[in-house]
Amino acid sequence: MDSFDNFQYDSASSYGGAASVIDDNSSVYTANTNVRTPVDLESLSIVDDRSQTSSVSNGHAGHHHHSPHHNGTIEEDFDGVLDDLKDESAVDLPPHACSYCGIHAPASVVKCLICSKWFCNSRGNTSASHIVNHLVRAKHKEVILHAESPLGETTPECYNCGSKNVFMLGFIPAKSDTVVVLLCRQPCAAVTKDMSWNASLWAPLIDDRSFLSWLVKPPSETEQLRSRQISFNQINRLEDLWRDNANATLADLEKPGVDDEPQQILVHYEDAYQYQNIFGPLVKIEADYDKRLKESQTQTDITVRWDLGLNQKRVAWFGLPKLESGEVRLAVGDELRLRYQGELHKAWDGVGHVIKIPNNVSDEIGLELRRTEGVPSECTHNFAADFVWKSTSFDRMQLAMKTFAIDEKSVSGYIYHKLLGHELEPQAVRTQMPKRFSAPGLPELNHSQMYAVKSVLQKPISLIQGPPGTGKTVTSASIVYHLAKMNPGQVLLFV
């Protein structure tokens, strides 16, 4: 694997600006002709004034013709050529063409290592580049450059820990003006002790929702005009199709039933029945997607280490490569089905719940089986793991909306009308503020978190938002602590 130790970059690019990259135009169009004399391609051009055109015959330029009939023919041919350039079926695209728009300049495309699809660094009709759009929508994080790109077939990864998450990767210039070092934002860039690196100069590889130009070159205007035009809505629908059929194309979007969109959510609802009729189908769509996602995460060729728990139940210890790459998520309490597919024991499968997930101590997963009968504990290879999908959370959502629709008193009047978007007078809850907002046994709150706790305690309904790592969980736990002290009744909290 190529490293970035000796990566060459243009020092005039201000570490991520426009760098001078050789224009590699891989799109070549040829015309069939019986002329054997070499033609000077530089002498051929398309002029804006269509009243004057040049023709080539036997390698020589012909005379200009001004007849109206001939001009009409030329204009029709010109428009036909433009139509051919726009028609994706007129040109056989190479395998590395962008799966959205068809751009295929090697310097402008990268391959997603998770789904093996190629995408370009063009924004097209969207606010983000196509590759970033895909990575966000598909929740993928690893890419590889094209073999014919200026950097070659290289996978961006952290120089220190080897992480390939492009959303965490950035670069730091070394002492040499021609070398940069790739480091992930946390923890490597923050804790590096190498004196040749200045951590304050760290900059992300993805800036303004596209890859830096010295890493993945933005396609030229000509390439973008010649590419297939795709809207943001089409991108979203195509990504949804890929979850069921990895080979789906834009043409599949036109098939009957594919474009059946659910009702749009509203700002104001007439009553709780309308609320349920709109959100019920959305919850069903989310449940179907979650089920397909879980069932598609089967992993084979797993090596198992067997153990016996203190409760005399069998515990299987193994690793999941997809979990390590961030492609799937797992939590303690999730259910997995373990299957044996080898020849040393008869076919077997057993369901258990996860008692341990990878941490700083070990990357192994611990699965405690429900039943111990017939467990092939003497076998260690040829196992497969399936994710067991449960509809419990989605069933509860549907039941809650049904209850909300048929019983107006299922929630307080304020919350009822607030959920339906009705205009209400602001209400304040009279309560005695605690002297100390931080809860015992929990980390100390910062000013923003204390303000959130204070605001929640004074309002009948609140919403707390924040990116990962901002302390939403600690803030919520502190709120529950204070509400429980103030009110002897139940506390309703949505997390």
Side-chain angles (χ1 to χ4, degrees):
M1 179 182 300
D2 296 336
S3 67
F4 277 70
D5 296 355
N6 298 318
F7 171 74
Q8 304 293 321
Y9 80 109
D10 184 3
S11 59
S13 63
S14 299
Y15 306 127
S20 58
V21 183
I22 298 176
D23 186 8
D24 182 8
N25 185 2
S26 62
S27 302
V28 180
Y29 295 88
T30 59
N32 294 328
T33 176
N34 295 326
V35 180
R36 297 179 181 272
T37 306
V39 179
D40 183 8
L41 296 180
E42 295 182 356
S43 66
L44 303 181
S45 63
I46 299 177
V47 295
D48 294 333
D49 184 4
R50 297 186 188 180
S51 63
Q52 295 183 348
T53 59
S54 298
S55 61
V56 178
S57 176
N58 295 328
H60 302 284
H63 297 285
H64 297 299
H65 300 276
H66 300 278
S67 65
H69 176 73
H70 186 74
N71 285 342
T73 303
I74 294 298
E75 288 180 2
E76 292 175 0
D77 292 343
F78 183 84
D79 292 336
V81 170
L82 293 180
D83 291 339
D84 289 341
L85 291 176
K86 287 290 184 182
D87 186 3
E88 61 179 276
S89 62
V91 179
D92 291 332
L93 297 176
H96 63 270
C98 176
S99 297
Y100 288 163
C101 66
I103 288 177
H104 50 276
S108 302
V109 295
V110 294
K111 180 180 179 181
C112 173
L113 285 177
I114 305 301
C115 65
S116 298
K117 288 183 171 61
W118 291 85
F119 298 91
C120 70
N121 205 29
S122 165
R123 296 178 186 269
N125 298 319
T126 62
S127 60
S129 68
H130 288 170
I131 177 59
V132 173
N133 255 319
H134 166 72
L135 294 176
V136 172
R137 285 283 301 173
K139 298 181 180 178
H140 297 166
K141 304 173 184 177
E142 300 177 7
V143 301
I144 186 171
L145 308 184
H146 194 278
E148 298 179 12
S149 67
L151 298 179
E153 192 174 16
T154 305
T155 301
E157 62 179 354
C158 178
Y159 173 81
N160 190 38
C161 69
S163 172
K164 300 177 183 178
N165 184 348
V166 294
F167 293 103
M168 295 290 291
L169 287 176
F171 72 100
I172 297 177
K175 285 186 175 181
S176 171
D177 289 340
T178 58
V179 177
V180 297
V181 179
L182 293 192
L183 293 173
C184 58
R185 182 172 66 246
Q186 292 291 342
C188 299
V191 301
T192 179
K193 297 181 181 179
D194 195 311
M195 298 306 294
S196 63
W197 304 339
N198 186 351
S200 64
L201 297 178
W202 185 93
L205 293 184
I206 296 178
D207 182 47
D208 192 22
R209 290 168 286 188
S210 64
F211 278 87
L212 297 179
S213 58
W214 56 259
L215 185 65
V216 186
K217 176 188 171 185
S220 64
E221 289 188 12
T222 302
E223 290 171 323
Q224 295 187 48
L225 289 174
R226 192 165 53 210
S227 67
R228 177 173 57 230
Q229 301 303 307
I230 182 172
S231 66
F232 182 71
N233 183 45
Q234 288 176 312
I235 288 176
N236 290 339
R237 291 161 54 199
L238 189 58
E239 289 285 350
D240 291 337
L241 284 182
W242 282 339
R243 294 190 181 104
D244 295 325
N245 178 15
N247 298 319
T249 63
L250 278 175
D252 295 322
L253 297 179
E254 308 303 325
K255 294 181 178 179
V258 174
D259 200 23
D260 294 341
E261 294 289 337
Q263 296 183 62
Q264 295 292 325
I265 60 174
L266 305 176
V267 177
H268 306 288
Y269 298 89
E270 295 180 2
D271 51 37
Y273 284 101
Q274 185 185 26
Y275 184 92
Q276 182 199 17
N277 290 335
I278 290 179
F279 278 94
L282 295 178
V283 172
K284 177 65 165 57
I285 293 173
E286 180 67 20
D288 292 340
Y289 165 68
D290 189 66
K291 182 179 181 181
R292 291 195 304 268
L293 183 64
K294 286 286 187 180
E295 294 176 347
S296 66
Q297 292 172 350
T298 296
Q299 299 191 53
T300 57
D301 298 328
I302 293 176
T303 301
V304 175
R305 177 175 63 86
W306 293 101
D307 195 5
L308 192 64
L310 296 177
N311 55 3
Q312 299 304 308
K313 289 187 177 181
R314 287 288 182 181
V315 179
W317 299 91
F318 53 89
L320 294 179
K322 288 186 178 180
L323 186 66
E324 296 173 4
S325 65
E327 188 176 353
V328 300
R329 292 182 179 181
L330 191 67
V332 173
D334 287 352
E335 288 192 355
L336 295 177
R337 177 179 289 103
L338 198 62
R339 294 183 288 112
Y340 178 70
Q341 301 175 316
E343 301 177 353
L344 301 179
H345 191 278
K346 66 179 182 179
W348 170 88
D349 69 87
V351 177
H353 66 275
V354 177
I355 60 174
K356 178 196 169 294
I357 58 176
N359 52 29
N360 296 333
V361 178
S362 170
D363 291 333
E364 283 187 318
I365 295 170
L367 183 70
E368 184 180 273
L369 299 178
R370 291 179 182 172
R371 304 179 62 180
T372 59
E373 297 84 3
V375 175
S377 55
E378 70 279 5
C379 302
T380 57
H381 293 72
N382 298 318
F383 283 88
D386 305 320
F387 285 77
V388 178
W389 182 78
K390 286 187 174 182
S391 63
T392 304
S393 59
F394 299 101
D395 292 339
R396 289 175 178 172
M397 294 181 196
Q398 296 287 12
L399 179 61
M401 286 189 291
K402 182 179 179 180
T403 305
F404 178 66
I406 64 178
D407 185 6
E408 294 183 359
K409 297 182 180 180
S410 58
V411 295
S412 69
Y414 182 85
I415 294 179
Y416 180 86
H417 291 286
K418 199 70 175 177
L419 290 176
L420 297 181
H422 298 167
E423 295 294 334
L424 296 173
E425 290 292 331
Q427 294 187 11
V429 178
R430 294 184 179 180
T431 182
Q432 184 177 359
M433 290 291 104
K435 296 180 180 179
R436 191 171 183 274
F437 290 101
S438 298
L442 295 176
E444 290 291 325
L445 301 179
N446 57 33
H447 293 290
S448 175
Q449 294 165 346
M450 285 190 290
Y451 176 78
V453 173
K454 182 178 180 180
S455 299
V456 169
L457 296 179
Q458 294 177 320
K459 298 177 182 178
I461 183 171
S462 302
L463 173 65
I464 298 177
Q465 292 178 302
T470 53
K472 296 185 297 296
T473 303
V474 174
T475 303
S476 301
S478 302
I479 292 171
V480 172
Y481 169 79
H482 291 296
L483 289 176
K485 287 191 65 178
M486 296 175 182
N487 305 286
Q490 293 181 340
V491 176
L492 179 61
L493 177 69
F494 294 96
V495 180

